[in-house]
Amino acid sequence: MSNATGVHAARQEQQMTPSSTPSYLAISSIAPVIESRVEPHLTDGNGHMNVRHIYSYGVGGADLLAERSGIDAEYREKRRMSIFAVEHHIQFFSEMQENDAFSVHPLWVDRSERVGHILVFLLNRTTRTLSSILELAVVHVDLDNRSSVPFPPAIAAELDRCRAITRAIPWPIPTSGAVGVRRG
Protein backbone atom coordinates (compact mmCIF):
# COMPACT_ATOMS: atom_id res chain seq x y z
CA MET A 1 0.00 0.00 0.00
CA SER A 2 1.29 3.43 -0.91
CA ASN A 3 2.60 5.64 1.88
CA ALA A 4 0.47 8.47 0.50
CA THR A 5 -2.72 6.89 1.84
CA GLY A 6 -1.62 6.70 5.46
CA VAL A 7 -2.75 3.08 5.74
CA HIS A 8 -0.68 0.51 7.54
CA ALA A 9 -0.92 -2.99 8.89
CA ALA A 10 1.15 -2.52 12.05
CA ARG A 11 0.24 -3.75 15.51
CA GLN A 12 -2.00 -1.60 17.67
CA GLU A 13 -1.49 -1.27 21.41
CA GLN A 14 -4.98 -2.63 22.20
CA GLN A 15 -5.31 -5.86 20.23
CA MET A 16 -8.48 -7.82 20.67
CA THR A 17 -8.56 -11.06 22.64
CA PRO A 18 -11.65 -13.06 23.66
CA SER A 19 -11.47 -11.50 27.14
CA SER A 20 -11.39 -7.96 25.68
CA THR A 21 -14.37 -8.44 23.37
CA PRO A 22 -17.19 -6.14 24.51
CA SER A 23 -20.43 -7.68 25.65
CA TYR A 24 -23.61 -7.93 23.61
CA LEU A 25 -25.25 -5.35 25.89
CA ALA A 26 -22.33 -2.94 25.52
CA ILE A 27 -22.37 -3.13 21.73
CA SER A 28 -26.16 -2.94 21.55
CA SER A 29 -25.92 0.56 23.06
CA ILE A 30 -24.46 1.71 19.70
CA ALA A 31 -27.31 2.72 17.38
CA PRO A 32 -27.98 0.05 14.74
CA VAL A 33 -28.06 1.12 11.10
CA ILE A 34 -29.54 -2.18 9.88
CA GLU A 35 -31.89 -4.61 11.59
CA SER A 36 -32.87 -7.76 9.75
CA ARG A 37 -33.34 -11.52 9.93
CA VAL A 38 -31.29 -14.37 8.44
CA GLU A 39 -33.43 -15.44 5.49
CA PRO A 40 -32.98 -18.94 3.98
CA HIS A 41 -31.16 -17.57 0.90
CA LEU A 42 -28.47 -16.08 3.21
CA THR A 43 -27.47 -19.45 4.64
CA ASP A 44 -25.04 -22.01 3.27
CA GLY A 45 -24.52 -25.76 3.46
CA ASN A 46 -23.26 -25.41 7.03
CA GLY A 47 -26.66 -24.14 8.16
CA HIS A 48 -25.53 -20.64 9.08
CA MET A 49 -25.31 -17.23 7.42
CA ASN A 50 -22.65 -17.43 4.72
CA VAL A 51 -19.54 -15.29 5.14
CA ARG A 52 -20.22 -13.35 1.94
CA HIS A 53 -23.52 -12.11 3.41
CA ILE A 54 -21.96 -11.30 6.78
CA TYR A 55 -19.34 -9.31 4.89
CA SER A 56 -22.01 -7.64 2.74
CA TYR A 57 -24.01 -6.52 5.78
CA GLY A 58 -20.81 -5.25 7.41
CA VAL A 59 -19.87 -3.23 4.34
CA GLY A 60 -23.47 -2.02 4.14
CA GLY A 61 -23.17 -0.77 7.71
CA ALA A 62 -19.94 1.07 6.86
CA ASP A 63 -21.64 2.60 3.81
CA LEU A 64 -24.56 3.83 5.91
CA LEU A 65 -22.14 5.28 8.47
CA ALA A 66 -20.35 7.14 5.67
CA GLU A 67 -23.66 8.40 4.26
CA ARG A 68 -24.73 9.66 7.69
CA SER A 69 -21.38 11.44 7.89
CA GLY A 70 -22.04 13.32 4.64
CA ILE A 71 -20.27 11.00 2.20
CA ASP A 72 -23.39 10.12 0.23
CA ALA A 73 -24.65 10.06 -3.37
CA GLU A 74 -25.08 13.84 -3.46
CA TYR A 75 -21.53 14.30 -2.13
CA ARG A 76 -20.16 11.99 -4.82
CA GLU A 77 -22.16 13.72 -7.56
CA LYS A 78 -21.55 17.35 -6.55
CA ARG A 79 -18.13 17.18 -4.91
CA ARG A 80 -16.81 14.31 -7.07
CA MET A 81 -15.21 12.72 -3.99
CA SER A 82 -15.87 9.51 -2.10
CA ILE A 83 -14.16 6.84 -0.01
CA PHE A 84 -12.66 3.58 -1.24
CA ALA A 85 -12.11 0.61 1.04
CA VAL A 86 -8.44 -0.34 0.96
CA GLU A 87 -8.16 -2.89 3.78
CA HIS A 88 -10.56 -5.27 5.52
CA HIS A 89 -10.28 -7.61 8.45
CA ILE A 90 -13.14 -9.76 9.74
CA GLN A 91 -13.39 -11.77 12.93
CA PHE A 92 -16.12 -14.29 13.71
CA PHE A 93 -17.35 -15.01 17.23
CA SER A 94 -20.68 -16.83 16.87
CA GLU A 95 -22.76 -18.05 13.99
CA MET A 96 -26.13 -16.76 12.86
CA GLN A 97 -28.61 -19.38 11.78
CA GLU A 98 -31.76 -19.21 9.66
CA ASN A 99 -34.43 -16.93 11.16
CA ASP A 100 -32.03 -15.36 13.70
CA ALA A 101 -32.60 -11.62 14.11
CA PHE A 102 -29.48 -9.49 13.75
CA SER A 103 -28.36 -5.87 13.77
CA VAL A 104 -25.42 -3.89 12.39
CA HIS A 105 -23.59 -1.28 14.53
CA PRO A 106 -20.79 0.80 12.90
CA LEU A 107 -18.31 3.23 14.48
CA TRP A 108 -15.74 5.68 13.13
CA VAL A 109 -12.67 4.72 15.16
CA ASP A 110 -10.01 7.03 13.77
CA ARG A 111 -9.02 9.20 10.85
CA SER A 112 -6.06 11.01 9.37
CA GLU A 113 -6.08 13.69 6.70
CA ARG A 114 -7.04 11.12 4.01
CA VAL A 115 -7.79 7.80 5.74
CA GLY A 116 -10.63 6.58 7.95
CA HIS A 117 -10.81 3.55 10.24
CA ILE A 118 -14.24 1.93 10.76
CA LEU A 119 -15.44 -0.98 12.91
CA VAL A 120 -18.75 -2.69 12.20
CA PHE A 121 -20.29 -5.04 14.78
CA LEU A 122 -22.89 -7.64 13.75
CA LEU A 123 -25.00 -8.75 16.69
CA ASN A 124 -27.16 -11.86 16.78
CA ARG A 125 -30.27 -10.54 18.52
CA THR A 126 -31.79 -14.00 18.86
CA THR A 127 -28.89 -15.51 20.83
CA ARG A 128 -27.79 -12.11 22.24
CA THR A 129 -24.19 -12.63 21.10
CA LEU A 130 -21.57 -10.82 19.04
CA SER A 131 -21.45 -12.56 15.67
CA SER A 132 -18.62 -10.71 13.93
CA ILE A 133 -16.56 -7.56 13.64
CA LEU A 134 -15.60 -6.13 10.27
CA GLU A 135 -12.76 -3.63 10.41
CA LEU A 136 -12.08 -1.38 7.43
CA ALA A 137 -9.59 1.24 6.34
CA VAL A 138 -11.03 3.66 3.80
CA VAL A 139 -9.23 6.30 1.80
CA HIS A 140 -10.82 9.56 0.67
CA VAL A 141 -10.48 9.99 -3.09
CA ASP A 142 -11.08 12.42 -5.92
CA LEU A 143 -13.36 10.53 -8.31
CA ASP A 144 -12.08 12.34 -11.40
CA ASN A 145 -8.36 11.74 -11.01
CA ARG A 146 -8.76 8.58 -8.85
CA SER A 147 -6.21 9.65 -6.25
CA SER A 148 -6.33 10.19 -2.51
CA VAL A 149 -7.24 13.67 -1.29
CA PRO A 150 -7.78 15.19 2.16
CA PHE A 151 -11.23 15.09 3.70
CA PRO A 152 -12.86 18.54 3.24
CA PRO A 153 -13.20 20.54 6.47
CA ALA A 154 -16.95 19.88 6.93
CA ILE A 155 -16.53 16.12 6.47
CA ALA A 156 -13.41 16.08 8.68
CA ALA A 157 -15.37 17.90 11.41
CA GLU A 158 -18.21 15.38 11.19
CA LEU A 159 -15.79 12.46 11.37
CA ASP A 160 -14.15 14.07 14.39
CA ARG A 161 -17.59 14.44 16.02
CA CYS A 162 -18.22 10.72 15.39
CA ARG A 163 -14.78 9.81 16.72
CA ALA A 164 -15.50 11.80 19.90
CA ILE A 165 -18.62 9.68 20.41
CA THR A 166 -16.52 6.54 19.92
CA ARG A 167 -13.88 7.77 22.37
CA ALA A 168 -16.63 8.35 24.97
CA ILE A 169 -17.62 4.66 24.90
CA PRO A 170 -16.69 3.32 28.35
CA TRP A 171 -15.12 0.07 27.13
CA PRO A 172 -12.00 -0.57 25.03
CA ILE A 173 -12.67 -0.48 21.29
CA PRO A 174 -11.63 -3.93 20.04
CA THR A 175 -9.37 -3.18 17.10
CA SER A 176 -7.59 -6.17 15.60
CA GLY A 177 -4.20 -4.57 15.03
CA ALA A 178 -4.44 -5.61 11.37
CA VAL A 179 -6.00 -2.36 10.12
CA GLY A 180 -5.46 1.23 11.17
CA VAL A 181 -4.37 4.77 10.44
CA ARG A 182 -0.64 5.47 10.45
CA ARG A 183 0.66 8.18 12.71
CA GLY A 184 3.89 10.07 12.10
Side-chain angles (χ1 to χ4, degrees):
M1 180 55 47
S2 166
N3 289 343
T5 65
V7 176
H8 72 86
R11 293 184 182 155
Q12 300 288 318
E13 289 183 4
Q14 175 81 26
Q15 290 188 7
M16 187 167 52
T17 65
S19 63
S20 68
T21 305
S23 71
Y24 170 88
L25 286 175
I27 297 166
S28 66
S29 68
I30 301 165
V33 295
I34 298 170
E35 294 181 89
S36 191
R37 188 164 293 281
V38 179
E39 300 295 334
H41 72 277
L42 300 175
T43 63
D44 60 20
N46 294 319
H48 56 217
M49 189 176 200
N50 185 273
V51 64
R52 72 178 176 266
H53 301 297
I54 293 169
Y55 176 77
S56 179
Y57 276 100
V59 170
D63 286 346
L64 288 169
L65 179 66
E67 288 175 13
R68 292 176 181 186
S69 302
I71 305 169
D72 56 13
E74 181 179 348
Y75 179 78
R76 286 188 297 276
E77 182 181 319
K78 291 185 177 181
R79 300 290 305 264
R80 300 294 303 146
M81 291 185 276
S82 187
I83 54 175
F84 289 177
V86 293
E87 288 187 49
H88 300 109
H89 179 78
I90 192 164
Q91 293 180 293
F92 300 98
F93 301 94
S94 66
E95 61 185 355
M96 294 192 290
Q97 296 179 336
E98 186 174 332
N99 293 319
D100 283 352
F102 68 93
S103 54
V104 179
H105 307 257
L107 292 173
W108 281 106
V109 176
D110 197 6
R111 80 162 183 91
S112 67
E113 180 181 59
R114 299 167 188 250
V115 175
H117 184 186
I118 299 171
L119 279 185
V120 184
F121 301 95
L122 269 71
L123 292 180
N124 184 326
R125 293 211 174 262
T126 300
T127 61
R128 298 177 61 83
T129 56
L130 171 61
S131 178
S132 65
I133 301 173
L134 175 64
E135 192 170 5
L136 302 95
V138 296
V139 70
H140 189 253
V141 297
D142 179 305
L143 291 173
D144 293 323
N145 69 24
R146 314 304 273 192
S147 63
S148 67
V149 293
F151 289 106
I155 297 294
E158 178 58 18
L159 299 186
D160 290 342
R161 186 191 69 76
C162 293
R163 288 175 47 231
I165 292 168
T166 300
R167 284 192 304 273
I169 291 173
W171 35 270
I173 303 303
T175 58
S176 67
V179 176
V181 176
R182 178 185 42 224
R183 298 283 182 238

